Amino acid sequence: MSSTGTRSSPSVRSQISIDASAASPVVAAPPVIRPSAGRWRDDTDLEKQVELQRSQANTLRSTVLLTYGAVGVALGDLGTSPIYTLSSVFHEPPSEDEVLGAMSIIFWAMTLILLVKYQLVVLNADDHGEGGTFALYSLLCRFIGINPGLKGKPTADDLSLLRYSTSRGQYARQGIAPRPAPKKTLLKRMGTGDTIAPALRKLFRTSRVAQTLLLLLVLMMTAMVIGDGVLTPAQTVLGAFGAISVKAPSFPQSSIAAISMGVLALLFVVQPLGSQYLGAVYAPILLLWFLLQIVVGIHNIAVFAPWIGKAINPYYLYRFFTSGVSADLAWRSTASIFLCITGAEACYADMGHFTRKSIRIAFIGILYPSVMISYFGQSAWLLKNPSGYATSFFGSIPWGDGFFYLYFVVAVLAACVASQTMISAAYSIVRQSMALRCFPRMKVIHTSNKVAGQIWIPAVTVFIGAFTIAAVGIFQNSIALGFSYGVCVSTLMMGTDLLIALAMIVVWELPLICPILYLLLFGFIDSIFWTANLTKIPLGGWFAVAVAASVCLFSYVWFLGTSLKRQYAVEHEENYSDVMSPRSQPAQLAPALSTIYSNVQAGYDLTRLPGLGLFYSEQNDERHCPTVLAKFVRRLNALPQLSVIITVRNVPVSSVSPQERLLLRDVPNRPGLVQCIVRYGYQDKVSQGDAFLAALLKEVDRQGAFDINSLCQDRVMYVILSSKLSGDRSGKPTMGKGLKAAFVNWVYGPLAQILSISVSENWDLPPDKTLQMGVSLAI
């Protein structure tokens, strides 16, 4: 059969390496339809590799090393809170009842919120070992069975790739080989698995409003972490350098701020070293810091008030809120006392950098007792020296100037360590945001081959570093910063209460009484801190709120834009039979380029181009033709001799072995068309160069997907799709269509163009063999 039509452009001819002047064009051999079409070959479940990864992280040696590192990174913010908490509570010399009441609140806040709520409950809500708001959201989405941005309906490739999940639940287990059902415990038998949990899952799967509200809550919470995250380093470092004014009251505050800015700049410069090495360097500093707190705390307790331990009696907490003058003081002081627990959310988000076990050991065995002793020691000193309320931490240091300056140096170093806690948390949160399409793709560098969450993101370093240094320049001292600090974290804690209560029902399927009691206890405590912190907004809290609002708006705009793009792709999916049929072809190549191979069984009439074509697509199912392949076929009415649809996937293991990297599958009744999923671990570099091509052809030949001997292997092209978005104004004009078009044209479209990252550069595609096809999507 012959064909007529227009000649392809020179640029296209050069990319596909066809000699148009050849007298006898190369004729591609007819491909053979394989009987195994539609099934993935060698679909080895990676769960064993996931479990191996986790078992390596849970060995005694690894646990000790990770605990050591967790002391230096995850617990820094909590560990340095004694520097500025008590000194910011009082605004005049306090009475004995006020000191005991404040100490009682600190004790119970740290015990109930840090120890019980976070260490014993919240840390259990992890997603593949990752902690933080987005990890919790991802966990909920899997167990509910929703795919945000696609009207709650998971796509085919999402469901098939959930085989990598090690979690429980109906949707999380799809694609995994069946396992024996776990024995039901008493809590499970009393749980919500048969009644409330299915009803709640159904509500979220069917209600677009419920899904949107859940997403907005998560975006707001994530933005709050970053909002207060830019203040954490500034607050801790400025607080530590505040000791200078104790010994040299005439020293200019502007100079202290300048020194702090220099130290902070150095802190952000060393971020490329990663959590593993920074933790190893920071841990000795914090261990010495905790030791000094214990020594000084015990000394102050023994010398000034051995009976200070009675502050654990809740009676003093009650008196702090109800007695005379303290009633008004208590309400405003609660916002300052809240500073003792602000590092809880950062610690949770840092779980991916370490493990749940290592963080618990470090917190219960080291941080909790040492920090508690320090607070009791300060309170004991304050009972005898009420006039020193503004400098209670550094003022309570005994044993002369020599020891004071030693303590001061260690405090400055510990403050730098504390800053790392929030910085590391921001890296984890942004990476999780990218995975859920709420942030543009950024360069992520993994700094460890044992723990997936130990990463460094250069763009986030620049962003947080700039705003942190700006905050120091604006507020100048830790007291002013204290008025701006805490608003976002307290809001975040309220949101965590809601998400954990939801997880108790849809993930853990606990009795309904469990989330109710959880909200009654921790929701009530957190609401007190939250409402007290709201009074800080006009006093400086506006800075953190403004940063958080900007991040939240940007995240939602990006998520909405990418969701519209994905929704467009799903709604305009075409079957292979619709794309590869004669009636769907607007033009054909000139017969001088090649001959047309007709395959009646396949049902299409296309020019077969000699060589190999790799088509890159995010979606890869056996029924629907990827957009990049459909555009290629429609424009050229041709298909390479062997066409492979490539989908790159990241899986939760450090490295994927070469034997398990590729999954191959023939497209049913489409000869010479193969689908391939390429799997990379978090430590693997995504590279699609010559080495990958050789491995792909070897695997194709080994699995019998195509007769490699008949393939012109010297002719290869990489085809990627570059999409330009525009608002769809066709049809009857409506307000909703106009708003969506304006959003795409003036907001998301320009952002996508500015922040887009070239796949060809990131994945090492050969520039001289890469064909980039442009397409305009009218959304």
Side-chain angles (χ1 to χ4, degrees):
M1 184 179 294
S2 62
S3 67
T4 60
T6 59
R7 187 178 299 272
S8 64
S9 66
S11 60
V12 173
R13 290 203 310 272
S14 65
Q15 294 290 349
I16 58 180
S17 303
I18 296 178
D19 186 1
S21 64
S24 301
V26 180
V27 179
V32 180
I33 299 177
R34 299 291 177 179
S36 58
R39 293 185 179 180
W40 291 112
R41 297 186 182 88
D42 286 358
D43 190 2
T44 306
D45 190 357
L46 292 183
E47 279 203 349
K48 292 182 179 179
Q49 226 169 323
V50 174
E51 295 301 331
L52 176 62
Q53 185 74 27
R54 291 187 173 181
S55 66
Q56 290 175 347
N58 285 318
T59 62
L60 178 60
R61 181 176 181 274
S62 295
T63 299
V64 171
L65 293 176
L66 288 172
T67 301
Y68 180 74
V71 171
V73 175
L75 303 180
D77 191 10
L78 293 170
T80 55
S81 62
I83 294 177
Y84 47 79
T85 299
L86 263 179
S87 60
S88 62
V89 172
F90 305 108
H91 302 285
E92 59 182 23
S95 65
E96 180 177 313
D97 282 349
E98 290 169 349
V99 173
L100 292 175
M103 186 59 237
S104 184
I105 296 176
I106 290 174
F107 173 81
W108 287 108
M110 292 189 62
T111 301
L112 294 177
I113 301 298
L114 296 184
L115 181 59
V116 179
K117 174 185 169 182
Y118 279 92
Q119 296 298 319
L120 302 184
V121 179
V122 175
L123 287 187
N124 291 309
D126 71 295
D127 183 43
H128 294 306
E130 291 282 347
T133 302
F134 262 110
L136 183 51
Y137 176 63
S138 176
L139 182 70
L140 289 170
C141 287
R142 283 210 321 276
F143 278 85
I144 291 172
I146 61 176
N147 187 355
L150 291 176
K151 296 184 178 179
K153 179 183 177 182
T155 61
D157 59 311
D158 289 331
L159 292 178
S160 66
L161 287 167
L162 284 177
R163 61 173 62 87
Y164 307 141
S165 171
T166 58
S167 303
R168 303 155 294 177
Q170 176 186 359
Y171 284 85
R173 296 289 303 170
Q174 290 197 30
I176 303 177
R179 292 181 176 179
K183 294 182 179 180
K184 285 195 171 184
T185 62
L186 177 60
L187 279 178
K188 283 286 184 181
R189 289 195 294 268
M190 297 171 56
T192 57
D194 300 325
T195 54
I196 299 176
L200 198 55
R201 293 189 187 110
K202 182 179 179 180
L203 170 66
F204 277 96
R205 288 199 299 269
T206 57
S207 173
R208 186 66 173 170
V209 174
Q211 294 178 32
T212 302
L213 290 176
L214 179 62
L215 172 66
L216 288 175
L217 173 63
V218 170
L219 291 180
M220 180 192 69
M221 293 169 60
T222 304
M224 292 296 177
V225 174
I226 298 177
D228 260 353
V230 301
L231 296 179
T232 299
Q235 172 75 2
T236 51
V237 172
L238 266 178
F241 278 107
I244 296 177
S245 60
V246 174
K247 292 295 183 180
S250 61
F251 195 82
Q253 186 61 44
S254 59
S255 299
I256 295 178
I259 295 172
S260 301
M261 293 167 70
V263 171
L264 287 170
L266 179 62
L267 175 67
F268 286 101
V269 167
V270 301
Q271 289 304 304
L273 295 176
S275 302
Q276 182 177 10
Y277 297 104
L278 292 177
V281 174
Y282 290 160
I285 298 172
L286 272 190
L287 287 174
L288 176 59
W289 168 252
F290 290 136
L291 177 62
L292 291 176
Q293 287 191 81
I294 292 174
V295 171
V296 173
I298 292 176
H299 170 270
N300 288 336
I301 292 172
V303 171
F304 297 105
W307 44 268
I308 190 65
K310 70 178 184 179
I312 65 174
N313 189 339
Y315 169 75
Y316 293 101
L317 185 154
Y318 171 77
R319 282 184 56 83
F320 188 78
F321 282 101
T322 59
S323 63
V325 178
S326 292
D328 178 68
L329 174 66
W331 178 250
R332 298 190 177 275
S333 298
T334 302
S336 298
I337 295 175
F338 177 74
L339 296 176
C340 73
I341 60 173
T342 53
E345 283 290 340
C347 182
Y348 175 41
D350 280 334
M351 184 163 60
H353 291 254
F354 304 97
T355 62
R356 181 190 303 117
K357 181 189 294 186
S358 63
I359 290 178
R360 281 177 174 167
I361 294 174
F363 178 86
I364 298 174
I366 300 175
L367 183 138
Y368 182 79
S370 61
V371 171
M372 196 65 74
I373 291 173
S374 177
Y375 278 121
F376 275 109
Q378 280 190 66
S379 299
W381 180 87
L382 197 55
L383 287 172
K384 301 299 183 182
N385 303 274
S387 60
Y389 65 91
T391 57
S392 59
F393 180 80
F394 289 106
S396 64
I397 298 176
W399 305 318
D401 290 345
F403 188 77
F404 176 88
Y405 287 117
L406 170 64
Y407 210 160
F408 166 67
V409 171
V410 176
V412 170
L413 295 176
C416 295
V417 175
S419 304
Q420 185 64 43
T421 304
M422 185 57 71
I423 297 170
S424 300
Y427 294 153
S428 297
I429 288 170
V430 170
R431 187 181 70 164
Q432 295 160 9
S433 301
M434 288 189 286
L436 292 175
R437 306 186 304 278
C438 294
F439 240 76
R441 185 186 303 146
M442 297 180 182
K443 185 177 184 180
V444 178
I445 299 175
H446 292 273
T447 58
S448 170
N449 60 357
K450 292 188 178 298
V451 183
Q454 293 191 359
I455 58 175
W456 170 53
I457 305 179
V460 176
T461 302
V462 173
F463 176 85
I464 295 182
F467 275 92
T468 298
I469 293 174
V472 175
I474 293 172
F475 294 100
Q476 292 289 310
N477 61 76
S478 61
I479 296 177
L481 266 174
F483 288 119
S484 63
Y485 191 58
V487 179
C488 292
V489 173
S490 59
T491 306
L492 175 62
M493 286 185 172
M494 292 288 292
T496 298
D497 290 338
L498 297 177
L499 294 184
I500 289 294
L502 182 60
M504 287 181 175
I505 299 175
V506 301
V507 179
W508 301 326
E509 298 182 354
L510 297 177
L512 186 60
I513 189 65
C514 292
I516 292 176
L517 290 177
Y518 177 88
L519 290 176
L520 287 177
L521 175 60
F522 297 114
F524 172 73
I525 296 173
D526 289 337
S527 66
I528 294 175
F529 288 124
W530 179 60
T531 52
N533 275 284
L534 290 180
T535 62
K536 291 182 175 182
I537 292 179
L539 302 176
W542 58 266
F543 182 84
V545 172
V547 174
S550 301
V551 173
C552 183
L553 179 61
F554 175 81
S555 298
Y556 186 69
V557 165
W558 192 264
F559 176 83
L560 187 59
T562 54
S563 297
L564 289 173
K565 186 177 176 181
R566 284 173 61 91
Q567 185 175 325
Y568 176 91
V570 171
E571 292 175 351
H572 290 78
E573 284 179 338
E574 298 178 276
N575 293 331
Y576 282 99
S577 58
D578 296 329
V579 175
M580 298 181 182
S581 61
R583 64 179 180 275
S584 67
Q585 311 308 322
Q588 296 179 340
L589 292 177
L593 291 179
S594 182
T595 61
I596 297 178
Y597 165 67
S598 177
N599 189 318
V600 178
Q601 181 181 7
Y604 63 90
D605 189 1
L606 292 174
T607 300
R608 304 300 300 202
L609 304 176
L612 169 66
L614 304 182
F615 297 83
Y616 287 84
S617 172
E618 290 186 3
Q619 294 177 301
N620 205 338
D621 66 79
E622 58 182 309
R623 281 197 314 114
H624 298 113
C625 181
T627 303
V628 62
L629 184 63
K631 296 294 181 183
F632 184 90
V633 169
R634 285 213 166 93
R635 292 182 184 182
L636 304 179
N637 194 40
L639 202 62
Q641 183 183 5
L642 173 60
S643 300
V644 184
I645 303 169
I646 301 290
T647 300
V648 174
R649 286 287 184 256
N650 293 314
V651 292
V653 295
S654 64
S655 182
V656 177
S657 62
Q659 295 79 9
E660 292 184 308
R661 182 157 328 267
L662 302 175
L663 289 181
L664 297 180
R665 176 176 68 183
D666 294 331
V667 178
N669 299 321
R670 295 290 175 263
L673 191 55
V674 178
Q675 295 175 326
C676 177
I677 290 180
V678 190
R679 305 185 288 189
Y680 291 93
Y682 58 80
Q683 189 68 19
D684 296 328
K685 183 183 187 300
V686 179
S687 177
Q688 304 278 292
D690 294 338
F692 164 77
L693 184 61
L696 174 63
L697 291 176
K698 181 179 179 181
E699 192 69 11
V700 168
D701 185 50
R702 186 184 73 84
Q703 297 189 20
F706 189 84
D707 185 6
I708 298 298
N709 295 325
S710 64
L711 180 67
C712 300
Q713 299 185 26
D714 59 332
R715 301 187 177 186
V716 180
M717 62 173 163
Y718 300 78
V719 186
I720 59 178
L721 194 66
S722 175
S723 58
K724 182 178 181 181
L725 306 181
S726 62
D728 185 7
R729 296 183 179 273
S730 62
K732 184 179 179 181
T734 62
M735 180 177 292
K737 182 178 291 187
L739 291 174
K740 186 165 72 171
F743 169 78
V744 173
N745 289 331
W746 301 105
V747 181
Y748 177 72
L751 276 178
Q753 292 296 320
I754 295 172
L755 300 175
S756 61
I757 296 180
S758 173
V759 171
S760 59
E761 293 179 5
N762 262 7
W763 293 352
D764 299 331
L765 303 186
D768 59 330
K769 297 180 180 180
T770 300
L771 172 62
Q772 183 167 315
M773 303 185 67
V775 59
S776 179
L777 304 181
I779 297 179

